[in-house]
Amino acid sequence: MRAVPAALSVVVPTFKEKDNVALLVQKLDLVLSGIAWEVIFVDDDSPDGTSGEVKALAREDSRVRCLKRIGRRGLAGACIEGILSSSAPFVAVMDCDLQHDESILPRMFALLEEGRVDLVVGSRYAAGGNSALSKRRDAISRSATSLARQLTGVSLSDPMSGFFMIRRDCFDPLAPSLATDGFKILLDIVLTARGSLRIHEEPYRFGTRQHGESKLDARVILDFFGLLLAKVTGNALSTRFLSFSLVGGLGLFVHLAVLRLSLSAGLSFPSAQTTAVLVAMCSNFFINNQLTYRDKRLSGFGLLRGLAGFCAVSSVGAVANIGMATWLYAQQPTWWLAGAAGAIMGAFWNYSLSTLLVWRVK
Ligand code: GDD
Ligand code: MN
């Protein structure tokens, strides 16, 4: 006999959520009775063995699936791949940590099935919704939300929500244009769709995390501004570029600090400047490896090769920067214009080649 195909895929990105997996499956089982559902955990090779836990459950229950990604990180990318791995006509995305209230899933499903809406968003801030976050986190979340709404013009009450359900035929055409490196996948979907989606917001109470810890705290701000930047500039500038530029800016401070120290230590100016260049280059490389290219992080021998490649690319970048600035200055002697043009060109050069050759982002 053929098994009933799933009408609803619930995609759950996971990173270090071992203790929450079984609990979530139990909750889905209770609340989704009457709907042919499946759950797809997209795990980025969590060191705590989350995927092993999921696979153990999957051996008992064919509605549970595991998509394990190796050598990659990123919430939005995980969600996108999870959604694309299923063929169900309706897909939901929710967190694994039980902060998203699963009891509104049947209502979200019913609304989509009726066919009057394309996307249902679980909202903390719609009338009737609320959040169990601490006062401080809730305030941060609310200000980021209002900023996102003002800058992007979306009218959603909770554009940063990671809890939503969408029709597959609406999602699939948007998928190639979505950013995989950020975490605001919903905001990205809505902006990319340019008003073509019929959206309904369903209020819920954002709960407290049961086990494990939040992974987004430190990176939220950077990712968030990166996504806004990408949208405002029509994808010309990405989150990665923003991060790369910030690291470059930081590198200038490192450079000056080392220069100062080396001069005080009695080095001649040329040796002090050379030391500063080398230290700044290495520090930029390691910070970029941790932050800008965290999803492609190099290690072991690759780390050494990467460092050498990065230094080579940056040296050529520096020559290009100086050449450009000198040429411009000869045409039109405005120091800051020539200097800035050289720096911008150097940044683009370094960024493009590092992305392509050092971290090999396709
Ligand atoms: N596969 C994968 N890869 N999953 C990840 C990654 C990653 O790199 N980082 C986080 N996750 C998973 C977590 O395991 C969890 O299931 C979910 O994504 C959300 O991560 P949390 O660390 O719990 O995020 P949060 O609670 O701080 O953020 C929540 O609130 C935001 C709104 O302010 C999430 O619901 C976000 O989606 C939401 O935007
Ligand atoms: Mn969470």
Side-chain angles (χ1 to χ4, degrees):
M1 206 186 74
R2 282 194 198 165
V4 184
L8 171 66
S9 285
V10 182
V11 171
V12 183
T14 58
F15 192 72
K16 294 199 270 185
E17 302 285 1
K18 184 168 181 275
D19 297 331
N20 290 320
V21 167
L23 273 168
L24 181 66
V25 173
Q26 254 173 32
K27 289 184 179 261
L28 292 177
D29 185 44
L30 278 176
V31 86
L32 293 176
S33 59
I35 299 173
W37 61 277
E38 65 180 350
V39 60
I40 302 167
F41 290 92
V42 187
D43 185 59
D44 287 352
D45 202 12
S46 301
D48 70 345
T50 303
S51 63
E53 180 73 16
V54 174
K55 288 185 185 190
L57 291 169
R59 279 192 283 273
E60 308 283 311
D61 185 340
S62 61
R63 296 172 303 183
V64 178
R65 290 172 46 196
C66 180
L67 180 60
K68 180 171 173 176
R69 306 196 308 164
I70 290 177
R72 273 182 297 165
R73 278 295 303 277
L75 184 49
C79 295
I80 294 168
E81 285 182 37
I83 296 174
L84 294 177
S85 81
S86 102
S87 40
F90 303 104
V91 275
V93 169
M94 72 188 293
D95 291 355
C96 192
D97 55 6
L98 316 171
Q99 287 186 289
H100 292 158
D101 179 6
E102 74 289 343
S103 72
I104 68 166
L105 287 168
R107 164 124 182 96
M108 294 167 111
F109 184 74
L111 283 164
L112 286 182
E113 232 191 356
E114 267 173 35
R116 277 201 296 256
V117 292
D118 304 314
L119 168 66
V120 184
V121 178
S123 169
R124 295 167 285 181
Y125 306 129
N130 58 37
S131 162
L133 285 181
S134 68
K135 279 224 168 64
R136 196 180 135 263
R137 277 209 63 182
D138 192 47
I140 294 175
S141 211
R142 279 176 193 270
S143 357
T145 299
S146 90
L147 189 64
R149 292 174 49 182
Q150 278 164 24
L151 287 174
T152 61
V154 294
S155 53
L156 289 173
S157 64
D158 193 357
M160 324 275 265
S161 177
F163 187 21
F164 60 90
M165 197 184 288
I166 187 169
R167 292 169 61 110
R168 158 165 317 284
D169 55 2
C170 294
F171 178 83
D172 285 0
L174 302 176
S177 314
L178 300 177
T180 54
D181 56 350
F183 73 101
K184 295 301 172 202
I185 180 178
L186 175 72
L187 186 57
D188 200 7
I189 290 174
V190 171
L191 291 173
T192 305
R194 294 175 186 280
S196 67
L197 296 175
R198 296 167 300 167
I199 305 174
H200 171 86
E201 294 192 272
E202 190 64 24
Y204 78 99
R205 178 175 168 75
F206 188 71
T208 45
R209 185 176 251 286
Q210 306 274 323
H211 300 283
E213 56 190 30
S214 166
K215 284 102 214 160
L216 298 184
D217 288 352
R219 298 200 299 243
V220 164
I221 312 237
L222 189 64
D223 276 349
F224 173 57
F225 284 108
L227 180 61
L228 293 181
L229 185 72
K231 287 302 154 188
V232 170
T233 60
N235 277 332
L237 297 183
S238 63
T239 310
R240 222 192 270 287
F241 182 71
L242 178 71
S243 171
F244 193 89
S245 310
L246 289 176
V247 174
L250 188 72
L252 181 63
F253 285 99
V254 173
H255 181 105
L256 293 176
V258 175
L259 181 61
R260 183 71 237 275
L261 279 174
S262 316
L263 287 173
S264 330
L267 257 62
S268 67
F269 187 83
S271 344
Q273 174 74 353
T274 311
T275 315
V277 167
L278 289 175
V279 174
M281 236 158 24
C282 290
S283 103
N284 278 10
F285 173 75
F286 288 110
I287 302 176
N288 274 323
N289 195 44
Q290 286 301 314
L291 205 67
T292 312
Y293 300 96
R294 58 178 178 260
D295 54 332
K296 301 272 170 188
R297 200 170 285 164
L298 303 170
S299 59
F301 181 65
L303 190 70
L304 284 180
R305 210 181 46 198
L307 178 61
F310 183 76
C311 291
V313 165
S314 312
S315 310
V316 181
V319 173
N321 172 342
I322 296 166
M324 172 83 171
T326 312
W327 179 78
L328 264 181
Y329 191 77
Q331 313 298 308
Q332 151 90 45
T334 314
W335 67 269
W336 60 267
L337 194 66
I344 290 172
M345 189 176 124
F348 270 110
W349 166 276
N350 285 354
Y351 173 70
S352 322
L353 271 92
S354 299
T355 301
L356 215 65
L357 302 177
V358 179
W359 282 277
R360 302 190 182 176
V361 181
K362 278 178 285 296

